[in-house]
C-alpha cells in the first residue's frame, strides 16, 4: 500500500556514494551516477548546499504543468557511512516529510542491474542507509540497485569499493538510465505503480 506523501512538499532524492574521483566508478557509487543522470534530465548542475556537507540540484520532474513535481537532488559529500547528517539537514531546510525522501543505493543481495523499490525496512548492512535511518527513521523510499555478491572470498568492503568490471560497464549506462526512470516513476506515479514496472 502506498504511504501518504505530501503533494505540496518537494521530493528529496539522495543518491548515495563517496566523494572524490578515486571513488567515482565504484559499485558503492551507483547512487551518485543515478543522481548525476537525473540532474542532466532536469537541466541542472550540482552545487554546494550552504553549510550542509552535500551538493544539490533543484528542479522539476515530469511534464510541465500541475503533474510535475518539485525535486531536490542530493549527493552527500560526507562519505557513505555518515550520509544521514547531510540528508537530514537538507530535509529540515526544505521541509520535506520523510515519506517524500528517496535513497538511491547499491544492494549486494540483488543481482547486478536488477532494481527493487520499497518503502521503509532494514538497512541490510548498508552503512549509508544505517546512517540515514539513525538520523530520520526508516520510513523513506529506497531504489535499490543490484550489484550482486562478491566473488570467491573477496571481502564485501573491498567489493563495493572496486570499480564495476569491464563486463559490467558494458551494461552500466543502460541500468543507470533505468534506475533514473524508476525514480521518476516513483515520484510521479507512486510506489505501487513504479514497483509493478521496475521490480522485475
Amino acid at each position: 500500500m502506498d504511504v501518504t506523501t505530501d503533494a505540496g512538499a518537494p521530493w528529496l532524492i539522495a543518491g548515495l556514494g563517496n566523494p572524490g574521483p578515486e571513488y567515482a566508478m565504484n559499485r558503492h557509487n551507483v547512487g551518485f551516477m543515478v543522481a548525476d543522470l537525473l540532474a542532466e534530465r532536469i537541466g541542472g548542475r550540482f552545487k554546494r548546499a550552504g553549510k550542509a556537507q552535500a551538493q544539490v540540484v533543484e528542479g522539476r520532474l515530469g511534464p510541465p504543468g500541475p503533474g510535475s513535481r518539485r525535486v531536490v537532488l542530493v549527493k552527500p559529500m560526507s562519505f557513505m557511512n555518515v550520509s544521514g547528517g547531510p540528508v537530514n539537514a537538507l530535509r529540515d531546510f526544505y521541509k520535506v516529510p520523510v515519506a517524500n525522501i528517496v535513497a538511491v543505493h547499491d544492494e549486494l543481495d540483488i543481482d547486478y542491474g536488477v532494481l527493487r523499490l520499497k518503502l521503509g525496512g532494514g538497512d541490510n548492512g548498508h552503512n549509508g542507509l544505517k546512517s540515514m535511518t539513525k538520523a530520520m527513521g526508516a520510513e523513506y523510499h529506497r531504489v535499490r540497485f543490484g550489484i550482486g555478491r562478491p566473488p570467491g572470498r573477496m571481502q564485501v568492503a573491498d567489493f563495493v569499493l572496486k570499480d564495476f568490471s569491464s563486463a559490467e560497464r558494458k551494461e552500466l549506462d543502460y541500468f543507470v538510465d533505468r534506475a533514473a526512470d524508476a525514480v521518476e516513476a516513483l515520484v510521479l506515479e507512486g510506489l505501487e505503480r513504479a514497483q509493478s514496472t521496475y521490480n522485475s
Side-chain angles (χ1 to χ4, degrees), residues 174-186:
Y174 168 76
F175 288 140
V176 168
D177 191 69
R178 191 164 184 269
D181 289 347
V183 173
E184 290 201 36
L186 171 58

Side-chain angles (χ1 to χ4, degrees), residues 26-96:
N26 286 182
R27 293 181 178 92
H28 223 19
N29 268 44
V30 73
F32 274 17
M33 297 174 199
V34 175
D36 285 337
L37 180 55
L38 287 166
E40 273 182 47
R41 290 184 180 184
I42 66 175
R45 296 184 62 159
F46 278 99
K47 57 183 185 244
R48 187 85 186 196
K51 293 180 181 176
Q53 272 190 293
Q55 293 182 351
V56 300
V57 176
E58 296 179 55
R60 298 191 80 84
L61 282 177
S68 70
R69 294 284 179 269
R70 185 175 162 225
V71 296
V72 181
L73 305 176
V74 179
K75 293 196 297 185
M77 293 285 118
S78 57
F79 288 94
M80 179 70 85
N81 294 2
V82 286
S83 301
V87 174
N88 198 40
L90 291 165
R91 175 183 79 86
D92 285 344
F93 180 79
Y94 288 101
K95 297 178 171 54
V96 179

Side-chain angles (χ1 to χ4, degrees), residues 6-163:
D6 184 342
W11 282 77
L12 194 154
I13 300 162
L16 301 186
N18 287 308
E22 67 270 36
Y23 299 107
M25 290 305 295
N26 286 182
R27 293 181 178 92
H28 223 19
N29 268 44
V30 73
F32 274 17
M33 297 174 199
V34 175
D36 285 337
L37 180 55
L38 287 166
E40 273 182 47
R41 290 184 180 184
I42 66 175
R45 296 184 62 159
F46 278 99
K47 57 183 185 244
R48 187 85 186 196
K51 293 180 181 176
Q53 272 190 293
Q55 293 182 351
V56 300
V57 176
E58 296 179 55
R60 298 191 80 84
L61 282 177
S68 70
R69 294 284 179 269
R70 185 175 162 225
V71 296
V72 181
L73 305 176
V74 179
K75 293 196 297 185
M77 293 285 118
S78 57
F79 288 94
M80 179 70 85
N81 294 2
V82 286
S83 301
V87 174
N88 198 40
L90 291 165
R91 175 183 79 86
D92 285 344
F93 180 79
Y94 288 101
K95 297 178 171 54
V96 179
V98 174
N100 281 38
I101 293 174
V102 183
V104 185
H105 64 92
D106 57 306
E107 178 63 63
L108 286 159
D109 287 336
I110 302 174
D111 290 340
Y112 175 59
V114 173
L115 298 175
R116 290 284 183 271
L117 282 66
K118 71 174 194 171
L119 172 70
D123 55 60
N124 203 23
H126 192 288
N127 287 327
L129 297 183
K130 195 175 294 182
S131 178
M132 283 185 61
T133 296
K134 184 178 178 184
M136 67 187 73
E139 291 307 299
Y140 53 90
H141 291 85
R142 299 101 188 275
V143 173
R144 305 156 73 204
F145 185 110
I147 59 169
R149 301 294 304 185
R153 296 184 177 184
M154 185 186 290
Q155 294 294 313
V156 164
D158 294 332
F159 179 68
V160 299
L161 292 175
K162 283 196 181 306
D163 289 358

